[in-house]
Each structure stands twice: as C-alpha cells, then as structure tokens.
Amino acid sequence: MGKFNVLQHDLVPEHHLVDAKEEQKILKELNVAKDLLPKISRNDPAVKALEEIHGPLENGRMIKIIRKSPTVGLSTYYRIVTGEVFK
Amino acid sequence: MTGGISKRINRIQFALLSPEEIRKMSQVKVITADTYDDDGYPIERGLMDLHLGVIEPGLKCATCGGKVDECPGHFGHIELAMPVVHVGFIKEIKTFLDATCKSCGRIKLTDDEIASYRKKFDAMSLSSSDPEIIGLMSKKVTDEASQRMVCPHCGVQQVKVILDKPTTFREEGIKVTPKEIRERLERIPDDDLIFFGLNKEVARPEWMVLTVLLVPPINVRPSITLETGERSEDDLTHKLVDIIRISQRLRESRDNGSPQLIIEDLWDLLQFHVTTYFDNQTAGIPPARHRSGRALKTLVQRLKGKEGRFRSNLSGKRVNFSARTVISPEPFLSINEVGVPEKAARELTVPLTVNIFNLESVRNFVKNGPAPRDEFGKYLPGVNYIIRPDGRRIRVSAQNAEENSKRVEVGWVVERQLMEGDIVLFNRQPSLHRMSMMAHTVRILPGQTFRFNLAVCTPYNADFDGDEMNLHIVQKEEARAEARIIMKVQEQIMSPRFGGPIIGGIHDHITSLFLLTHENPLFTEEQMIHIMSYVNPEKTPVAVVKNGKRYYHGRDIFSAVLPDGLNLKFTSKLCASSKAKCEYESDPADKEVVIVNGKMIHGTIDETAIGPFSGIIIDKIFRKYGPAEAAKFIDRMTRLAVGFISQRGFSTGIKDYDIPENAVSRIKEISDEATVRINKLIETYREGMLQPAPGRSVEETLEIEILSVTGGARDESGKVASAYLGLTNPSVIMARSGARAKMLNISEVAGMVGQQSVRGGRLNRGYYGRTLPHFKVDDIGGKARGFVKSSYKSGLDPLEYFLHSIGGREGLVDTAVRTSRSGYMQRRLINAFEDLKVDETRSVQDTIGTVIQFKYGEDGVDPTRSERGETVDLDYLIFDAEQEVQ
Ligand SMILES: [Mg+2]
Ligand SMILES: [Zn+2]
Ligand SMILES: [Zn+2]
C-alpha cells in the first residue's frame, strides 16, 4: 500500500505552511502575540504530511488552516507548531 | 471587603507524611477507644482528648489554651499494632513492587540504562516541570523495569506480584503482608526514587505503608448532642474507635503469642478499618456501616461528588437575600414582572445607603417600622434593620421605629423591604441556558406563591404542577443596572440558540387567537367590549355596521394589539403544507397572514405567528420596534387571548372523538387487513421466499416490512377517523393550530394506537421466544409483538395494555437517562468554557489571552441578532419597504 497523505482526505481541512516572512504581517493583522496563537503538535499527522513537502519544520512555525465553515463558507485558522505532547 | 490578601500562595509541594512527621505533628498519642467518661468529660488519651481541640463552650484547649472559637484544633496519632497499606497509594505501591528487585531493592534497570534515564530526569526539575510529562516518562521507565524477571544488580530471579483488589498483594498466590511490603520498600535506595517521580527530599515509598495514623482534630469531626441529651459521634470518630479497638486486640494477640491464624484475621480487619476510614466506597470490600445500616461517610466521601466539599461547599454556596416557593400563573402580570408574596417581601431587603438626597425618604421608610400598610391595608415597604457606619445592626420594631428614624444619618445603611418596581433575579433549575435566570420587576401580591406571565414558562421550562423557583434580590446599584439592561425578560426574548423568539403565546393563547382570527368571525359590540376589557390597548377595533348594529371582526380585534406600521406576510402553520389553495380556508387569500400597517387583513393566527420558537410576529416586532414594544405586544396578545377564550369557552371531551359506525368498521377492516398482510409476510419468510432488502438480512427485512404495514395501518385509520373530525373539533383545533398535541395523537384516540416499539423495533423481549406467556413460542405475528389494534377511546384489551406499557416505559427510561447524561455533559462544557470571553475584536480568548477562535462563530455574528441564523430576511424587508412606500 502506498503512503497515505492525510491532507488529501476529504474530511481533513487544508493545511498550509506560512512563509516565515509573512508571519509578522499575519500577526499584525490578527493583533496577537505569536505565543498566544493556538498550537499544533509536531506529531500531528497534518504537520508530518507538511514535512513531507517542506522538509523538517521547526517549533514556532506558523500553519494556516482553511476549513469549511457553516457560517462563512471558508474560514482561516492559524496554529503554531510545538513540541508539546497533546493527549 | 477589608484587609485584602495578607498572604499569597507561592508554591505548593506534594509530599508524603513520614511516621516521625506524624508523631511530631501530633499533640497526643491516642490509646483508648473511649471518648467521654460518665460525666461527659473527655477521656484523657482518648479520641476526644482536650489536646485535640475544643468544641464545647466552657472548656479550654489543653494544647493552645484557646476557647471554642479560638482553637483551630490539633492533630493526634494512633500507633498501629501492625503496619497496613494506605488505599490511596495502592497503585504506587504496586509500581514499586513491580519495578524493583525483591531482594536488593534496586530498580530493575542496568547501570547503563539508569545512567541514560537519570540524565533525562535530571534535565527536568521535579518541582517546576509539568507533572504530566514526568508521569509519562516515569511510566515508561517503570514499565520497562517491571518487564525484567532477573535483577540486573544481584541476579535474583523475580516473582510477579499480583494485586488482589483492593489491598492484598500476592506472590504466586501467597500473601505478602504489609510488613513485608514495607521492608521491601525500605530497601529501595533514595537515588532510584526519581524514576518513580518521587522526590527523595520529601518522600520515601515505605511511608505508603502506615505504621502511625494521624488523628484529625475534633473540629473536623465534632460530636453532636441530640435533644434527648444523647451524644452522637461523627462517622470519622466511629471509624477511629474501630481502628484503635482492633489495633489493641491485634497487639495483645501478637504479644500473647496467639495462633498465626487469629493474628492474620485481626490484621486483615485492621486493614479493612483503615481502608474504609480513608474511602468507604473502595471497590471490592463492603462499605462499613452505621448501626442503623447507613454507610459511613469517611474521608473520601466528604470530598467527592455532588454532595462533597468541593461541589457543595466550595464551588457552590448558600446565598442570602433569596427566596424559594411554588410558582403559579398570573396572566395579568407583564412578562417583565414577577408576583412576590407579601410574606417573602417582608423578609427580602434592598440596602439603601443614606446620602443627603435620600435622607428624608429613607427616614420615612424607617419611621414606618417593619410591617407598614396604607389606609386600605395595602402593603408598604418597611425596614427590618438599620446598619450604623461601624457595622452594628439595629433591629427595627414597631416600638423603636420612630426613634430609630431620627438616628439615621448620612452614611448609614437601611435595609428596606422589597417594594413594587424593585429589580430581582428569578431562576428555575436546571439552569441550562441563560434564559433560566432573568430579571423581573417586583409586584407585591397576596398569597403564598411566586407568579408570572404564562409566556415566560418556555424559557424557564416551567409548569405549575408544583414547580418551585428561586428569587434573588440584587444588592448593588451596578448589578441592578446590569440586570435592567441585559437580564430583563424583554431583553431575553431572542434566543441565542436559533436567533428567533423563545417567548411567546402557549396552549390556550394559540387556540384562542386561532379561533378569533380563523375565517374572521363577527362579534357583537358587547362581546368585543368583554374581550377588550382584558387588554390595555392603545387602539380600539374598527366597527362594521350591519342592520344598524355595530359588529367587529376577529382580525380587527387582534389588530388592536398590533403596533402601527407593522407590515408582515407569512404562511400560517394551518396552511403550511398546502400548495395553491389552503383546504382549511374558504378564502384563498387567507393562506397567508397579511398584516399591513398594524392591521391584520388575511390569514389565521396560530403557532407560527405567536408561538415561542416560531413566533414571526413577535420576531418582527422585536426587530422593528425593539424589546419594550415586543414585551408590550406579548403582554397584550396573551391577555387578549385569555379574554377571548374565557368569553367564548373552550373544552374537549371523549365525545369529541365519536366517529360514525361505518368509520369504526372501516378501521376494523384496516387492522384486519394489516394482520393478514403481516401473516402473509411471515409465511413468505418461513418458506424462505422473502427477498432481503439491500444490505439487510432476511430477518431485518421482515421486521422493516411488518413495521411499514403497521405504520401504514395506523396512518390509514387515522385518516379515516380524522375525515369525520373537522376543524370544528376542539382537539383538531388544538392540533392544527399548534397549541397542543399532534394529529397523530388524535388518530391514536379515535383510530388505532398502532405498533408499540422498543428501540425502534417491535417488542420481542420478555419470556423465552415470546413477549408474554399468552403467546406461543416464536409467534412473531402482529399481536404477539405489540401491534395494538384498539384505539384509546375503544379501550385496549389486557394484552394490548401490557404491551403498550412496555412501549411507554422506553420514553420514561430515555428521559431519565438523557437528563443525567446531558447534565454531566453540560457540567463539563461549562467548566471548559466558563472563563472564555469575546473581546471587542470579536476574537474568543481564555483568561491568559490565548486565542481560542479568531472570530466568534467564525463570522463574528451574535446569533441573537441574526435572522434565525441568516444575515437578513429579504422577503420581509421587501414587503415591509413596499408597504411603507404606499
Ligand atoms: Mg413541573
Ligand atoms: Zn488548641
Ligand atoms: Zn536485586
């Protein structure tokens, strides 16, 4: 069986790696400090799938998630890669 | 609040109490199981020793010399004859026994492994790292050590230790005594403790096996004296008495050299008592009981659960300035009001801080004393207490009122009794949504109950079969302002759940306005005046003159409560399912309710127009004119409805379900046909000729087929019955208008009750292969599986009745299960969400400021302000604009 890419699954929202240069701009737009953003574990299958494309991701990189939303159609969400273990 | 915080918690350290520590903490070594002597004086070295604190006035603490309220209580200790394990640490003891060598006590890891793991553990400090991460690491290491069956240090073969719950450890079936456990734990070197997450500075594993037991202060377990003069001890004291007794007997037996068997029995008994002293609900042992048979409430029970210290005394507290009583309806109150009985109003008070502006009026209140009335005997607010600037409270009585009123000066506080117009919070449990607690203005009423408008039943989910509700008097000006501006009933008309009104007319309101507007009947002037006398309208209905007499149309009467300028067009519930022409309306135009400039022109008022959840008229009035106007409309609308239905009269009885003989026989035919078809299906199935539906087994297919036959039969008979029950029938009026019940319920009464089910399938449990012994084994026919052919009106035969009860029980069980489960889920959600907030940028954050959601609901929209979740209701806006132009 070939390797399965979670990002291609219908129920997994789009995950994009945010360009390091763009991060500041987005933070300014959102008007929050980076450490207050929601987190994503580096063990998350979506992060692993992104690493397949972009190579290893450091902690602190920003991931942009585009989800289907019942209220606005598409909504964007940002998460910061962390090494913390989530249960 | 004065004083503020004098000490701040800097850190919390978790440790184990060592026997030495316990002895050091202890003020007295308790050696006698007795409490008081014959004179009622505490026995020395007993469980009530004066060194442990005092609870009786007159006595002084032997430790600190303090009197009753001064002495905080002091600990004592019991020296146990033999060690016993502490139930709270069973898991940890098991890990220690598993992961360390039974001979040398070292952790069963090689020196290399120890070195590498130690590095990892040293990298984290025990006191500042996340305990969860330490726990995970420790679990990994100890699991690995537990796997090893030969000690890497001394080479001794290991034996698996099995925990025989709750407190017995066995090696190859032979019991390991707590004494042996303790000796093994003692052998574990300090340096190995880090791998278990234990801080060697403050804890030793052998302390998990108790040799000394701490005795809590008397203040923790006070004895109470009953009226009979008999003294009743606290459950903890009872338990401690047991422990001391058994410990003594064990010591004697051991010293006398009694047989090993007796000693072991006593030892086990001691273990039982100490275990239940900590937790009397330990799985695997019977709870210790009081002489009366009641299970004792020991340490864990004091803390755990709904009645425990946390949920009952720390997270939740009793409050002052509140009242609770039965509720009853009062249609003449506004939805914003609550009727408070005089008796309650005299007890509930609002504090008035005296200043130069209110001095006169406040003095007047005080002068009136504690129970004033006006010349007609009507309630006037009095004053119960006045509070001096130094905090002293002075009780006001009829005698000292005059004199006290003169003493009141600026800066004093006067506790005035409740009066009309005061704002209060009204609440009914379970408080499942924010509308469960709303602000009302007070009306003082005679009687013993709280009263409110029927339209407010829905948000509180209240009825009047004995429900009680709570009333809280708001004590501060800021709180009163908030209550008025955001909590008042009229501000809560729109539900945040679906963006529509949650308050509206119910039951008879709907029936009444349906009858008032359906087919637009005419009423005489007399009738109209009677009806309108219930309302406090701004307009009066327009008359139509016929034969020189003035008559009034029902819709015109209803229009009297509509605000001018309201334009609205919508389909009524009555005609919701009809296509071109509505079968229930003689005029095709009446399919839609049309309101132009506050005048109702076409249609029928029903649930869709004024009901809670659906009420379009309430919805639009709220949006166009605001909360006050919406409240006014609901007040008048409900009163109008009550006025009309009391003038007209409305009732239903069993006679309303009479249907002609031929209909009855037709229904009988239908049920017989159904039985024939069921039997045919079963026959086909038995012959093995039944074709399974896709993805189903033959049995499932059969069940589905039978269910569709029985369902069809009920629908068919319902149709036959309702053909004779038109819109003149009271039950049909209630069902069609949405006031109460569904057409299905009517066909159950007049037509056929139909198939009974449990979990969506036909009844099939009970006796072996059958539901009741009256049927043959494996009878899967209609009747045997709960097909009820009778109607409620004709009556059910005994078998049908029984099977119907089985079906009915499911509903009861469901509600019972659902409420407890959803209650728990609600608790967890509330605990998770309670301190999230939406800030001015509409992002959702927790208390630290961590973003939870970038925009509330992803669109930043308050659902209360949305049109049932949509941004705009275009159809309405266009219709409204069109009418306003004209
Ligand atoms: Mg009730
Ligand atoms: Zn003391
Ligand atoms: Zn060893």
Side-chain angles (χ1 to χ4, degrees):
Chain A
M1 203 176 87
K3 208 167 171 216
F4 176 71
N5 183 353
V6 279
L7 293 181
Q8 256 143 41
H9 193 280
D10 214 39
L11 296 175
V12 177
E14 286 177 34
H15 285 66
H16 301 281
L17 180 66
V18 174
D19 200 281
K21 286 171 235 150
E22 298 231 347
E23 286 185 5
Q24 278 315 313
K25 212 177 104 198
I26 291 167
L27 287 174
K28 204 162 180 186
E29 240 168 67
L30 296 171
N31 196 24
V32 276
K34 194 169 179 178
D35 58 328
L36 293 179
L37 286 186
K39 293 172 178 133
I40 186 167
S41 169
R42 57 181 320 94
N43 301 319
D44 191 294
V47 174
K48 288 188 176 154
L50 282 179
E51 283 184 328
E52 294 278 312
I53 309 166
H54 302 281
L57 297 182
E58 296 147 41
N59 285 351
R61 283 303 293 274
M62 194 187 279
I63 309 270
K64 177 181 183 177
I65 302 165
I66 298 174
R67 305 198 269 230
K68 284 181 192 140
S69 155
T71 49
V72 281
L74 289 177
S75 77
T76 23
Y77 204 76
Y78 296 95
R79 287 185 183 280
I80 302 297
V81 180
T82 70
E84 278 175 52
V85 193
F86 298 110
K87 272 176 288 154
Chain B
M1 269 273 282
T2 50
I5 302 163
S6 61
K7 283 178 184 168
R8 229 172 237 286
I9 294 171
N10 178 259
R11 66 187 192 127
I12 296 174
Q13 186 175 55
F14 290 96
L16 294 176
L17 280 176
S18 72
E20 289 83 65
E21 188 84 14
I22 291 174
R23 291 190 191 103
K24 236 195 282 172
M25 284 170 74
S26 162
Q27 298 302 328
V28 62
K29 178 178 164 187
V30 181
I31 50 169
T32 12
D34 302 313
T35 47
Y36 297 95
D37 62 19
D38 296 337
D39 305 329
Y41 196 79
I43 289 173
E44 238 175 83
R45 319 214 88 191
L47 277 168
M48 290 292 162
D49 190 293
L50 281 176
H51 288 90
L52 299 177
V54 277
I55 43 161
E56 270 171 284
L59 291 179
K60 265 194 181 154
C61 172
T63 303
C64 67
K67 286 199 285 274
V68 169
D69 282 329
E70 300 160 352
C71 166
H74 313 277
F75 283 95
H77 77 279
I78 298 170
E79 295 281 346
L80 297 174
M82 302 282 247
V84 288
V85 295
H86 187 310
V87 257
F89 295 113
I90 283 294
K91 258 213 200 124
E92 284 73 16
I93 295 173
K94 172 94 163 67
T95 317
F96 274 109
L97 294 180
D98 282 342
T100 58
C101 169
K102 60 177 290 186
S103 162
C104 70
R106 296 292 312 272
I107 186 162
K108 288 182 284 179
L109 294 174
T110 62
D111 289 332
D112 289 350
E113 285 166 341
I114 289 179
S116 95
Y117 286 133
R118 191 177 300 281
K119 231 181 270 164
K120 278 192 191 165
F121 274 99
D122 284 348
M124 310 187 296
S125 124
L126 270 182
S127 52
S128 61
S129 300
D130 183 355
E132 256 175 55
I133 293 175
I134 298 174
L136 283 172
M137 268 174 66
S138 153
K139 180 157 180 2
K140 198 176 144 245
V141 175
T142 50
D143 278 353
E144 203 181 313
S146 305
Q147 299 298 320
R148 245 190 222 130
M149 290 317 287
V150 178
C151 173
H153 303 284
C154 66
V156 167
Q157 178 68 36
Q158 304 293 314
V159 186
K160 260 238 148 7
V161 176
I162 287 156
L163 173 60
D164 187 357
K165 283 206 167 140
T167 50
T168 315
F169 289 94
R170 288 182 201 283
E171 265 181 358
E172 293 171 332
I174 301 156
K175 208 174 133 185
V176 190
T177 64
K179 197 166 159 237
E180 288 161 335
I181 295 169
R182 196 163 200 278
E183 283 159 7
R184 279 179 62 171
L185 297 177
E186 276 169 7
R187 281 199 288 274
I188 301 170
D190 271 357
D191 283 348
D192 286 357
L193 294 184
I194 183 81
F195 301 115
F196 298 88
L198 225 59
N199 182 355
K200 66 180 178 192
E201 311 290 331
V202 294
R204 279 293 310 170
E206 67 266 23
W207 298 344
M208 297 176 185
V209 179
L210 300 166
T211 53
V212 180
L213 189 71
L214 206 57
V215 174
I218 296 176
N219 311 52
V220 171
R221 42 184 182 90
S223 47
I224 37 171
T225 321
L226 303 168
E227 299 108 73
T228 54
E230 221 181 324
R231 219 190 275 266
S232 170
E233 295 301 334
D234 189 273
D235 285 2
L236 282 187
T237 311
H238 280 300
K239 214 58 246 188
L240 288 166
V241 167
D242 292 340
I243 292 171
I244 296 173
R245 282 226 179 97
I246 300 304
S247 182
Q248 257 167 7
R249 277 175 58 195
L250 182 57
R251 182 172 293 121
E252 282 159 19
S253 307
R254 189 195 55 198
D255 294 348
N256 297 343
S258 298
Q260 192 58 32
L261 218 63
I262 291 179
I263 292 179
E264 254 171 48
D265 276 359
L266 282 172
W267 200 350
D268 283 346
L269 198 54
L270 182 65
Q271 176 72 67
F272 166 80
H273 283 310
V274 174
T275 302
T276 49
Y277 167 70
F278 286 113
D279 183 357
N280 201 15
Q281 283 174 337
T282 317
I285 51 169
R289 289 178 188 284
H290 199 253
R291 253 171 307 168
S292 64
R294 171 182 65 88
L296 293 173
K297 245 187 142 184
T298 51
L299 288 174
V300 167
Q301 279 67 50
R302 283 195 176 198
L303 309 179
K304 226 166 82 182
K306 206 176 189 167
E307 260 106 68
R309 195 89 328 132
F310 290 100
R311 278 176 72 182
S312 173
N313 304 113
L314 294 164
S315 316
K317 290 218 158 66
R318 293 179 172 270
V319 292
N320 289 325
F321 308 104
S322 67
R324 179 185 175 91
T325 184
V326 176
I327 51 168
S328 45
E330 176 52 77
F332 289 100
L333 286 183
S334 158
I335 55 167
N336 284 315
E337 293 175 321
V338 60
V340 180
E342 279 188 17
K343 221 168 144 190
R346 292 266 183 236
E347 296 293 329
L348 299 165
T349 58
V350 178
L352 303 175
T353 308
V354 182
N355 55 50
I356 51 169
F357 304 105
N358 68 8
L359 181 62
E360 253 341 280
S361 68
V362 169
R363 277 188 173 159
N364 213 25
F365 281 128
V366 180
K367 204 170 83 192
N368 287 341
R373 288 179 185 282
D374 71 4
E375 64 220 88
F376 309 107
K378 205 176 153 252
Y379 173 96
L380 284 179
V383 170
N384 293 337
Y385 284 97
I386 52 179
I387 303 160
R388 301 196 310 205
D390 66 2
R392 273 285 298 274
R393 300 171 76 87
I394 302 164
R395 171 107 213 174
V396 178
S397 64
Q399 290 76 38
N400 67 15
E402 182 88 50
E403 170 198 340
N404 272 325
S405 77
K406 285 173 197 143
R407 295 169 67 189
V408 171
E409 288 299 339
V410 171
W412 287 46
V413 175
V414 169
E415 289 191 335
R416 189 209 73 209
Q417 290 167 1
L418 218 53
M419 66 187 238
E420 304 236 330
D422 277 336
I423 193 110
V424 296
L425 301 186
F426 200 37
N427 163 236
R428 180 181 178 275
Q429 284 102 353
S431 313
L432 296 177
H433 54 196
R434 69 182 195 200
M435 291 79 77
S436 289
M437 187 175 243
M438 294 189 286
H440 293 246
T441 52
V442 168
R443 293 287 298 273
I444 312 287
L445 299 180
Q448 307 279 317
T449 57
F450 288 138
R451 264 145 291 173
F452 57 87
N453 188 297
L454 287 145
V456 197
C457 287
T458 327
Y460 289 125
N461 192 21
D463 50 35
F464 305 105
D465 59 3
D467 289 25
E468 293 180 40
M469 282 179 69
N470 302 326
L471 187 82
H472 298 268
I473 314 304
V474 188
Q475 297 287 308
K476 288 232 161 96
E477 211 51 71
E478 295 96 317
R480 274 192 284 273
E482 281 194 6
R484 278 224 156 77
I485 295 165
I486 60 187
M487 290 181 78
K488 220 167 160 198
V489 176
Q490 66 179 36
E491 309 298 329
Q492 299 291 330
I493 291 173
M494 286 297 167
S495 165
R497 191 169 82 219
F498 51 87
I502 198 171
I503 294 172
I506 54 170
H507 307 328
D508 272 6
H509 298 147
I510 296 170
T511 308
S512 171
L513 296 181
F514 179 91
L515 293 167
L516 183 68
T517 53
H518 184 54
E519 299 288 302
N520 205 13
L522 274 179
F523 298 96
T524 64
E525 181 147 58
E526 233 186 336
Q527 286 175 312
M528 183 278 284
I529 289 171
H530 180 103
I531 297 164
M532 292 306 287
S533 71
Y534 280 73
V535 195
N536 174 22
E538 271 159 28
K539 340 181 238 184
T540 40
V542 211
V544 280
V545 182
K546 252 186 203 167
N547 312 329
K549 278 173 108 182
R550 281 138 64 92
Y551 291 91
Y552 297 85
H553 278 294
R555 286 173 196 157
D556 291 335
I557 296 178
F558 178 72
S559 300
V561 299
L562 289 172
D564 284 333
L566 182 74
N567 302 306
L568 201 48
K569 194 162 118 178
F570 61 93
T571 313
S572 60
K573 178 190 161 74
L574 186 68
C575 306
S577 53
S578 44
K579 285 164 207 93
K581 189 194 170 295
C582 178
E583 55 174 311
Y584 304 108
E585 303 277 9
S586 43
D587 182 355
D590 284 340
K591 185 176 169 243
E592 280 179 323
V593 177
V594 178
I595 296 167
V596 174
N597 192 21
K599 192 170 155 34
M600 183 181 173
I601 297 166
H602 288 297
T604 302
I605 297 296
D606 56 21
E607 194 190 7
T608 314
I610 54 138
F613 306 108
S614 51
I616 293 179
I617 299 182
I618 300 167
D619 188 350
K620 298 306 178 205
I621 292 179
F622 187 93
R623 285 177 208 286
K624 192 164 179 176
Y625 304 96
E629 199 60 36
K632 223 191 263 174
F633 170 72
I634 296 168
D635 291 344
R636 287 179 181 154
M637 178 267 290
T638 52
R639 281 165 76 161
L640 175 73
V642 172
F644 174 60
I645 207 156
S646 31
Q647 187 274 327
R648 180 196 182 271
F650 187 78
S651 167
T652 185
I654 199 76
K655 213 175 101 198
D656 291 326
Y657 299 94
D658 282 339
I659 47 172
E661 198 53 51
N662 61 327
V664 176
S665 50
R666 175 71 196 120
I667 289 168
K668 169 113 180 47
E669 267 171 53
I670 291 168
S671 68
D672 290 344
E673 275 164 34
T675 312
V676 170
R677 285 181 59 196
I678 291 169
N679 290 338
K680 206 176 255 166
L681 277 169
I682 293 170
E683 209 176 298
T684 329
Y685 161 74
R686 291 249 152 93
E687 284 164 0
M689 301 294 283
L690 194 69
Q691 285 303 309
R696 305 249 177 214
S697 69
V698 191
E699 286 75 20
E700 285 169 343
T701 313
L702 176 70
E703 284 301 310
I704 292 166
E705 291 288 326
I706 294 176
L707 279 175
S708 95
V709 170
T710 56
R714 190 195 51 206
D715 293 347
E716 197 64 29
S717 64
K719 243 177 241 161
V720 173
S722 39
Y724 297 94
L725 308 172
L727 254 191
T728 50
N729 180 295
S731 289
V732 177
I733 290 172
M734 289 192 279
R736 294 274 179 218
S737 64
R740 199 73 220 247
K742 297 270 146 12
M743 284 310 286
L744 172 77
N745 302 113
I746 294 174
S747 56
E748 281 176 334
V749 177
M752 179 194 302
V753 174
Q755 179 67 51
Q756 297 303 304
S757 68
V758 166
R759 295 188 174 185
R762 297 196 299 156
L763 307 181
N764 55 35
R765 295 179 353 127
Y767 293 83
Y768 173 75
R770 48 195 172 161
T771 48
L772 281 173
H774 306 69
F775 303 110
K776 288 198 170 127
V777 170
D778 283 337
D779 182 356
I780 51 171
K783 183 151 192 174
R785 291 292 157 101
F787 180 46
V788 179
K789 291 178 187 174
S790 314
S791 66
Y792 286 134
K793 183 170 170 260
S794 68
L796 277 57
D797 71 34
L799 292 181
E800 287 178 334
Y801 183 86
F802 189 86
L803 297 171
H804 177 251
S805 307
I806 297 175
R809 169 195 273 188
E810 189 186 27
L812 300 182
V813 171
D814 270 11
T815 20
V817 171
R818 243 203 332 267
T819 43
S820 66
R821 270 214 274 194
S822 67
Y824 182 43
M825 199 161 92
Q826 173 109 3
R827 243 184 80 72
R828 278 155 38 190
L829 278 175
I830 289 173
N831 287 336
F833 286 158
E834 65 181 354
D835 45 29
L836 300 189
K837 64 167 191 224
V838 182
D839 74 356
E840 63 279 2
T841 69
R842 299 186 185 186
S843 82
V844 184
Q845 303 167 7
D846 64 12
T847 41
I848 311 162
T850 312
V851 178
I852 306 296
Q853 197 171 36
F854 291 96
K855 203 150 228 176
Y856 173 76
E858 295 182 334
D859 57 0
V861 170
D862 174 359
T864 317
R865 317 277 174 104
S866 70
E867 293 265 357
R868 293 178 194 271
E870 302 297 324
T871 325
V872 283
D873 181 351
L874 217 51
D875 289 341
Y876 162 72
L877 288 179
I878 291 169
F879 183 76
D880 188 33
E882 274 173 7
Q883 302 308 317
E884 285 196 358
V885 170
Q886 282 165 19

